[in-house]
Amino acid sequence: MLLPLLLSLLLLSLSLLLLLPPLALLQRQHCQGARLPWLAGLQHHVAQRILGLAAAWQHRRLEQSTLLAHQSQQQALRRCLRGGLGSQYPFPGNTDMDVFRNHLPLTKSSLAQEENSAKKLLPPPSSQHRGEASLQATLLGLAALNEAYPEVLAPGGTARVTPTSPWPCPLPWPCHALGQVRPPGAEDSRALLLEALRSPGLRALEAGTATELLDVFLGLEADGEELTEAIASGSPAPLTRRAAELQEALEQGPRGLALRLWPKLQVVVTLDAGGQAEAVAALGALWCQGLAFFSPAYAASGGVMGLNLWPEQPHGLYLLSPGAPFIELLPIKEETQEDVTSTLLLAEAQEGEEYELVLTHHTGLSRCRLGDVVRVVGSYNQCPVVRFIRRLDQALNVRGEDIAEDTFSEALSQAVGQWPGAKLLDHSCVESSILDSSEGSAPHYEVFVMLRGLRNLSEENRDKLDHCLQKTSPRYKSLRFRGSVGPARVHLVGQGAFRALREALAACPVSCFPPGMPRVIRHKHLAQLLQKRVVS
C-alpha cells in the first residue's frame, strides 16, 4: 500500500513539472540578468512540497522499522527467501536464524576474487530492491541536506561536475525543479564543469565520489585557461566578466579555490566508497578548504547499506537499516577472521565494537562477507549507527604481518607529514612478488604515491615511510629487524596516473559500484600501469 502511494506522488510531481518550462532555460535567463519567471518559482515550490511529503513518509517508515529492528529484519529475510532463492532454499517460509545460517554458510566477496573469477559472488540487486533502499536514502538525504543547508536546493543552487551522481537513486524532478545547474543532455565532465563555472551563485557541488572530484579540480588547474576562454568566447558581457573572475581565482593557486570560484558554496556532496579518505583530506586541505562534505549513503556492490541523516557531522555516520538487503554483523576478532562464523543481527550490535558486514540479497543464494569493517559509534532506536573503518581485502601481507588498510594509511600520512611541502593526493601499494621485484632481496612493498608540492623524493624521505611503518606495526618492525621483510620502496608518479588506474578498473566487466579506490593492487598489469608513470 505504501510503496504504490509514494510512486503515485512521484508520478504526479513528474507530470506537474513536465508541464512547466525546463528550469535550465529559465535559470540561464536568470543568470543573464532576467528576473526569475513565476513559472520557475511555481515549479520549485511544487518540487519542494513533493520532496517534503515523500521524505516525511520515508522517515515514518524508518522510525517504525528501527523501533522494531528484529521484526523488520525477519521481514527482510523473508522477502529475500521468497523473492529469489526459490527451490534452492528448502525452507522458504522459515526465518529461524539457526536454520538459515546452517543451510547457508558464509562466503567471501572481494575485489580480488571478483577479478580472478570474472564474475561476482554477490550478484547485483534487481532494480526493484535496489530502488527501495536507494530511494529512501536519496529522499532522506535530500531532506537532511535541505534542513542543514536551507538554501542549497534553491533554484540554481546545485551543480554536478561528474557524469556519475552521489545520490543512490537520482530522481529527475530534483534535478530539473530544485535548481540543479546542468546543460541539457550533457554527460561529460567538461560540459558539466563549464556550466558550473558559469554559475557563481552555487551553494552545493556534487560529484560521484571524492576521487572523481579530485580529478575535476586537477583538470581545472591544468586546463583552466582553455575553460575560461570557452566561457568568454562569444558570450554576453556578464559571462565575459565571469571568465575574468575565474582567471583571477585560478591564478591564486589551489588553496580555497572552490570558494573563490563560488563564494556562496557551503557543501560538497559525494558518495562514500572504499579508499576515498585521502581524496577527501586533500580536497578539504586545498581546493575545498572551508567546506563541509556530505555523503548521503554508504553503498556497496550489493546495494545501499546505510543512510546518512547527519550532514553536519564532519565524518560520515551511517544508520544500518533493518530493511532489504538483509544485513548481518560478523564480530572482528584479534585472531584470524577465517575462524569466525557466528554473526549478529543489527539490534545485537555493541557500541565501540567493530564488525564485518555480511549481506544476503534475494537475487543470490549466498551470505556474502563484504570485507567492509565498520565501528559502531551510536544507535538510532534499535539499530546501530556506524563509521566505515577499512576493507579487509586491502591488507598487505608478504610474511604474515597483515598490515591493515587503515594502519598503512596512518603510517603513510605520518611519513608525508615529514616531507617538506608535500600533500598526499593518492596512493596504492603492490607486494613485490606481483612485480617480480624481490629477486635477490627480501619481499617488500612497492608504494606508488601522487603528491602536491614535491617533485622529487630523496632517499632520506623514502626511508621515513619504512620507519613510520615500524612504529605503527610492531609485527612489521620485528620482521624488518630479522630481515624477513625488506624496506618499503616509494615511487612518485605523475598527475593522471591514478586517473588512468581508475579508468582501467572501470573498464573491467566486474567493476563494482560505487567505485572504490584500491589501496593494494593484486594484478600485474594494473601495477605496471602505475610503474610506467613513475617520475621519481
Side-chain angles (χ1 to χ4, degrees), residues 104-177:
L104 295 180
L106 293 175
T107 60
K108 279 191 175 182
S109 178
S110 70
L111 179 61
Q113 287 176 320
E114 289 168 7
E115 291 175 348
N116 287 333
S117 63
K119 66 179 181 179
K120 290 188 178 182
L121 295 176
L122 183 66
S126 71
S127 58
Q128 175 188 357
H129 284 256
R130 173 181 285 174
E132 290 180 17
S134 300
L135 180 62
Q136 184 179 60
T138 297
L139 289 172
L140 293 178
L142 279 168
L145 187 66
N146 189 43
E147 183 177 353
Y149 307 99
E151 296 179 308
V152 161
L153 299 185
T158 303
R160 176 155 56 89
V161 292
T162 62
T164 55
S165 171
W167 300 102
C169 179
L171 303 174
W173 51 273
C175 296
H176 300 307

Side-chain angles (χ1 to χ4, degrees), residues 332-353:
I332 297 294
K333 302 294 184 181
E334 291 297 328
E335 64 270 15
T336 174
Q337 282 294 104
E338 300 294 334
D339 301 328
V340 182
T341 58
S342 180
T343 59
L344 304 175
L345 295 180
L346 296 184
E348 300 171 311
Q350 298 295 315
E351 186 169 350
E353 296 297 321

Side-chain angles (χ1 to χ4, degrees), residues 415-429:
V416 174
Q418 300 176 45
W419 299 347
K423 179 62 184 176
L424 180 65
L425 301 184
D426 225 331
H427 90 273
S428 276
C429 302

Side-chain angles (χ1 to χ4, degrees), residues 407-422:
T407 301
F408 184 89
S409 293
E410 178 186 350
L412 180 59
S413 178
Q414 291 175 2
V416 174
Q418 300 176 45
W419 299 347

Side-chain angles (χ1 to χ4, degrees), residues 259-389:
L259 278 174
R260 292 199 302 274
L261 295 174
W262 302 285
K264 296 181 180 180
L265 204 61
Q266 295 176 285
V267 62
V268 175
V269 184
T270 63
L271 187 62
D272 202 0
Q276 303 295 316
E278 284 177 1
V280 171
L283 288 165
L286 294 174
W287 300 274
C288 298
Q289 190 179 62
L291 296 173
F293 281 77
F294 173 57
S295 170
Y298 167 50
S301 58
V304 171
M305 305 288 104
L307 315 174
N308 189 345
L309 307 178
W310 306 277
E312 68 281 1
Q313 292 293 327
H315 302 288
L317 299 180
Y318 302 100
L319 165 65
L320 297 183
S321 173
F326 180 70
I327 301 173
E328 298 171 80
L329 303 174
L330 187 65
I332 297 294
K333 302 294 184 181
E334 291 297 328
E335 64 270 15
T336 174
Q337 282 294 104
E338 300 294 334
D339 301 328
V340 182
T341 58
S342 180
T343 59
L344 304 175
L345 295 180
L346 296 184
E348 300 171 311
Q350 298 295 315
E351 186 169 350
E353 296 297 321
E354 293 185 356
Y355 302 93
E356 180 184 358
L357 297 181
V358 177
L359 183 67
T360 301
H361 202 276
H362 83 290
T363 55
L365 184 61
S366 61
R367 295 167 63 218
C368 274
R369 294 174 54 178
L370 297 183
D372 287 10
V373 177
V374 297
R375 179 180 297 130
V376 178
V377 296
S379 62
Y380 185 97
N381 293 331
Q382 294 183 352
C383 289
V385 175
V386 303
R387 177 174 286 125
F388 175 81
I389 300 298

